[in-house]
Amino acid sequence: MKSIFITATLFASTTIFSQNLKPVSYQDGSQKLNGLVTSNAGKKLPGVLILPAWKGIDDEAKTAASDLEKQGYIAFVADIYGEGNIPTDNASAAKTAGFYKKDYAAYQKRISLALEQLKKNGAIPEKIAVIGYCFGGTGALESARGKLPVVGVVSIHGSIGKDQSRPNEEITTKILVENPAEDKSVTPEDYNNLVKEMNDGKADWQIITYANSKHTFTDPKSPDYNPVMAKRAWNHTLLFLKEILK
């Protein structure tokens, strides 16, 4: 009975969140993209771009957008893959996300297009940040690497590895990495290389590691979900955003 109640509550919450988000269609050439913006669009407020996990726009991204609206931000959930290209299973998600991880310039372009939509919907250009989950966490770091016009980025259980043939360059964007301690997709080498990259780039950076947490520890629908650490991570995100945007 308790599990049924929790499921019903999550469903009702998701429905409410979805109703508070407005669809926004935009283009990358001939490719149609379908993002979501919070209902406070049009006001002049700080903005947060949300980059979803590897299956595209999901409930975690929508919930984050609605929560950020309550904090006084305009939030825009980006569509990286485009209409007709949304993965339906883990295998297709891995393939599609892998394409953008390899072709990081294409990933940065899709992020840039979403940032333009966020600004068109009222976000103050000088007060914009990016947060991303999983594959989106990789995108958050790519926003910093690509010198996109954002004040800070938050990578939440993102894939933090980078092709080591790419040079480490100056990073002017503030960086927060929220790293689960038991994330098997992050190797010690990846971790050390990221620290070196941020130090080489003279970045303002911070890594917070969450104990007893596996890869998707912030997602209530995941078997990895750790509610205590997920709440701490979200509070750390809000603290970071408040510092850099308000």
PDB file of all heavy atoms in Angstrom, residues 84 95 158 165 174 204 232 240 242:
ATOM      1  N   GLY A  84      12.335  13.143 -33.215  1.00  0.00           N
ATOM      2  CA  GLY A  84      12.576  11.928 -33.997  1.00  0.00           C
ATOM      3  C   GLY A  84      13.830  11.174 -33.622  1.00  0.00           C
ATOM      4  O   GLY A  84      14.091  10.088 -34.169  1.00  0.00           O
ATOM      5  N   LYS A  95      24.333   4.942 -27.520  1.00  0.00           N
ATOM      6  CA  LYS A  95      24.843   5.251 -28.857  1.00  0.00           C
ATOM      7  C   LYS A  95      24.693   6.738 -29.172  1.00  0.00           C
ATOM      8  O   LYS A  95      25.641   7.383 -29.651  1.00  0.00           O
ATOM      9  CB  LYS A  95      24.099   4.416 -29.900  1.00  0.00           C
ATOM     10  CG  LYS A  95      24.573   4.657 -31.326  1.00  0.00           C
ATOM     11  CD  LYS A  95      23.829   3.769 -32.317  1.00  0.00           C
ATOM     12  CE  LYS A  95      24.304   4.017 -33.745  1.00  0.00           C
ATOM     13  NZ  LYS A  95      23.574   3.152 -34.719  1.00  0.00           N
ATOM     14  N   GLY A 158      27.852  13.467 -13.584  1.00  0.00           N
ATOM     15  CA  GLY A 158      28.179  13.481 -15.004  1.00  0.00           C
ATOM     16  C   GLY A 158      29.363  12.594 -15.331  1.00  0.00           C
ATOM     17  O   GLY A 158      30.138  12.198 -14.459  1.00  0.00           O
ATOM     18  N   SER A 165      43.586  13.856 -25.874  1.00  0.00           N
ATOM     19  CA  SER A 165      44.244  14.536 -26.994  1.00  0.00           C
ATOM     20  C   SER A 165      43.814  16.005 -27.073  1.00  0.00           C
ATOM     21  O   SER A 165      44.466  16.804 -27.738  1.00  0.00           O
ATOM     22  CB  SER A 165      43.921  13.837 -28.318  1.00  0.00           C
ATOM     23  OG  SER A 165      42.551  13.971 -28.648  1.00  0.00           O
ATOM     24  N   LYS A 174      32.819  29.274 -13.456  1.00  0.00           N
ATOM     25  CA  LYS A 174      32.879  28.593 -12.155  1.00  0.00           C
ATOM     26  C   LYS A 174      32.263  27.204 -12.293  1.00  0.00           C
ATOM     27  O   LYS A 174      31.265  27.019 -12.995  1.00  0.00           O
ATOM     28  CB  LYS A 174      32.142  29.412 -11.092  1.00  0.00           C
ATOM     29  CG  LYS A 174      32.813  30.750 -10.774  1.00  0.00           C
ATOM     30  CD  LYS A 174      32.012  31.535  -9.752  1.00  0.00           C
ATOM     31  CE  LYS A 174      32.763  32.780  -9.296  1.00  0.00           C
ATOM     32  NZ  LYS A 174      33.057  33.721 -10.389  1.00  0.00           N
ATOM     33  N   ASP A 204      37.855  28.379 -11.108  1.00  0.00           N
ATOM     34  CA  ASP A 204      37.233  28.405  -9.782  1.00  0.00           C
ATOM     35  C   ASP A 204      36.375  27.150  -9.726  1.00  0.00           C
ATOM     36  O   ASP A 204      35.308  27.084 -10.340  1.00  0.00           O
ATOM     37  CB  ASP A 204      36.383  29.676  -9.653  1.00  0.00           C
ATOM     38  CG  ASP A 204      35.616  29.758  -8.335  1.00  0.00           C
ATOM     39  OD1 ASP A 204      35.406  28.721  -7.684  1.00  0.00           O
ATOM     40  OD2 ASP A 204      35.192  30.873  -7.972  1.00  0.00           O
ATOM     41  N   ARG A 232      21.008  16.690  -0.222  1.00  0.00           N
ATOM     42  CA  ARG A 232      22.218  17.486   0.017  1.00  0.00           C
ATOM     43  C   ARG A 232      22.757  18.052  -1.291  1.00  0.00           C
ATOM     44  O   ARG A 232      23.161  19.219  -1.351  1.00  0.00           O
ATOM     45  CB  ARG A 232      23.290  16.622   0.689  1.00  0.00           C
ATOM     46  CG  ARG A 232      22.982  16.264   2.128  1.00  0.00           C
ATOM     47  CD  ARG A 232      24.104  15.457   2.730  1.00  0.00           C
ATOM     48  NE  ARG A 232      23.751  14.966   4.060  1.00  0.00           N
ATOM     49  CZ  ARG A 232      24.493  14.144   4.776  1.00  0.00           C
ATOM     50  NH1 ARG A 232      25.646  13.705   4.288  1.00  0.00           N
ATOM     51  NH2 ARG A 232      24.096  13.736   5.960  1.00  0.00           N
ATOM     52  N   PHE A 240      25.172  27.190  -4.699  1.00  0.00           N
ATOM     53  CA  PHE A 240      26.082  27.608  -5.772  1.00  0.00           C
ATOM     54  C   PHE A 240      25.405  28.616  -6.688  1.00  0.00           C
ATOM     55  O   PHE A 240      25.961  29.665  -7.023  1.00  0.00           O
ATOM     56  CB  PHE A 240      26.544  26.369  -6.539  1.00  0.00           C
ATOM     57  CG  PHE A 240      27.478  26.643  -7.689  1.00  0.00           C
ATOM     58  CD1 PHE A 240      28.812  26.942  -7.460  1.00  0.00           C
ATOM     59  CD2 PHE A 240      27.030  26.567  -8.996  1.00  0.00           C
ATOM     60  CE1 PHE A 240      29.684  27.174  -8.526  1.00  0.00           C
ATOM     61  CE2 PHE A 240      27.889  26.794 -10.065  1.00  0.00           C
ATOM     62  CZ  PHE A 240      29.225  27.098  -9.822  1.00  0.00           C
ATOM     63  N   LYS A 242      22.823  30.517  -6.084  1.00  0.00           N
ATOM     64  CA  LYS A 242      22.557  31.765  -5.374  1.00  0.00           C
ATOM     65  C   LYS A 242      23.815  32.634  -5.332  1.00  0.00           C
ATOM     66  O   LYS A 242      23.759  33.851  -5.533  1.00  0.00           O
ATOM     67  CB  LYS A 242      22.067  31.480  -3.961  1.00  0.00           C
ATOM     68  CG  LYS A 242      21.718  32.731  -3.159  1.00  0.00           C
ATOM     69  CD  LYS A 242      21.183  32.362  -1.778  1.00  0.00           C
ATOM     70  CE  LYS A 242      20.831  33.608  -0.983  1.00  0.00           C
ATOM     71  NZ  LYS A 242      20.321  33.261   0.372  1.00  0.00           N
TER      72      LYS A 242
END
